[in-house]
Amino acid sequence: MLKQTHRAFSTTLAARSLLERELYQENSVVRLILNDKKVNTLSLAMINELFAELKAIDKIEKIRSVVIAHNGKSFSAGHELKELTTESGTEKHNEIFNTCGEMMNFIRNMKVPIIAEVNGTAAAAGLQLVASCDIVVAGKSSKFLVPGQKLGLFCSTPGIALVRAVPRKVAMDMLLTAQPINSEDALRAGLVSRLVEDDQVKFEALKVAEQIGQFSRSVTALGKAFFYSQAELNTADAYRYGSRVMVGNLKLKDCQEGISAFIGKRHPEFEHSNELVEKTKKTD
């Protein structure tokens, strides 16, 4: 049964904070809630605050996963268009897209899984954020789109994450027509991992986090890193790399504890560390 108790991630929140923070499951799951009181645009301020929060979380060994959720009907409407006018200047534009890209890459490289909790519309850079997460739980009424064509601003950077989450033909259809896809189409395309009723989205996202939290943090981090690295290799190189990773995985104490527990028909007691097992001397 899910542990639903929670408290604010910070004892005091800044009055102008664009995020709400909650802790669940004995403080091992952080739920970050996009909350700009409007449509949760990824303004530079929102990007900076979310990025800083993620970097701080990645250093906390107790954390097992992060849920990125939202208040309101929009997960995120994408970049703040007022920041993309000529008056803002090229320097500001570069800062926005470079910082956003760095954050998306950081999500992929974090030690813990990132779960998107979507119960509304994810558009443009908002969809980019969803596609960059490791797991996506969505409500049935959710919609996903990259509508840049309508504004004369092609969704080039959102397309980077999109094409790595769905087939190319689906991505190009979305990018060129600027039309939304519904949650069922997103599930079939691979953009969404789990589809549930709207009133079950939060519960399901926390359920996923709880399932992940049962396992070794160090092994989860190893597995996540390998998954994305091998995807960029050809099949032969991926298998060679995978063999080395599997052999290294076997040297972790948590791995040998898991194997021992399975053989002994007991629950494993993981240490969640990268500590290796001591080598045993071979006897003649």
Side-chain angles (χ1 to χ4, degrees), residues 2 4 25 28-29 64-67 113-117 134-138 193-196 200-215 220:
L2 287 175
Q4 296 289 342
Q25 299 167 23
S28 66
V29 176
R64 299 284 178 267
S65 60
V66 177
V67 175
I114 311 301
I115 303 162
E117 179 190 312
D134 303 303
I135 296 174
V136 179
V137 178
S193 312
R194 300 190 184 194
L195 187 61
V196 297
Q200 293 296 306
V201 178
K202 178 180 178 181
F203 178 84
E204 190 69 19
L206 290 173
K207 178 182 175 182
V208 173
E210 184 177 57
Q211 290 168 333
I212 294 170
Q214 301 175 71
F215 311 124
T220 297

Side-chain angles (χ1 to χ4, degrees), residues 6-170:
H6 69 277
R7 63 178 178 80
F9 185 51
S10 303
T11 53
T12 57
L13 297 180
R16 296 182 181 179
S17 176
L18 297 171
L19 293 175
E20 291 182 5
R21 306 150 178 87
E22 297 173 349
L23 286 178
Y24 290 82
Q25 299 167 23
E26 298 180 353
N27 300 340
S28 66
V29 176
V30 181
R31 186 169 180 262
L32 299 176
I33 307 164
L34 307 181
N35 185 40
D36 73 353
K37 309 296 184 183
K38 298 176 183 177
V39 290
N40 298 316
T41 55
L42 288 184
S43 61
L44 184 56
M46 175 74 88
I47 293 169
N48 283 332
E49 187 170 345
L50 179 58
F51 197 1
E53 203 72 31
L54 292 172
K55 286 189 282 190
I57 288 169
D58 203 41
K59 297 176 182 178
I60 303 173
E61 293 185 2
K62 185 178 179 63
I63 302 302
R64 299 284 178 267
S65 60
V66 177
V67 175
I68 299 180
H70 63 101
N71 282 333
K73 296 181 179 180
S74 175
F75 176 85
S76 173
H79 290 297
E80 173 55 71
L81 293 180
K82 292 178 181 178
E83 296 180 342
L84 302 183
T85 61
T86 303
E87 288 73 22
S88 295
T90 301
E91 186 175 342
K92 177 71 172 289
H93 297 163
N94 280 328
E95 183 182 6
I96 291 168
F97 292 114
N98 289 338
T99 306
C100 186
E102 289 172 9
M103 182 179 71
M104 302 301 173
N105 270 325
F106 185 79
I107 287 173
R108 169 175 161 164
N109 294 323
M110 286 182 71
K111 300 181 183 71
V112 297
I114 311 301
I115 303 162
E117 179 190 312
V118 185
N119 206 0
T121 301
L127 183 145
Q128 181 184 0
L129 177 57
V130 169
S132 297
C133 292
D134 303 303
I135 296 174
V136 179
V137 178
K140 290 185 176 180
S141 68
S142 298
K143 293 182 180 181
F144 305 85
L145 67 158
V146 274
Q149 285 273 67
K150 295 180 179 180
L151 303 175
L153 179 64
F154 198 82
C155 284
S156 298
T157 47
I160 294 169
L162 179 62
V163 77
R164 285 163 172 76
V166 305
R168 290 189 178 188
K169 301 300 184 187
V170 175

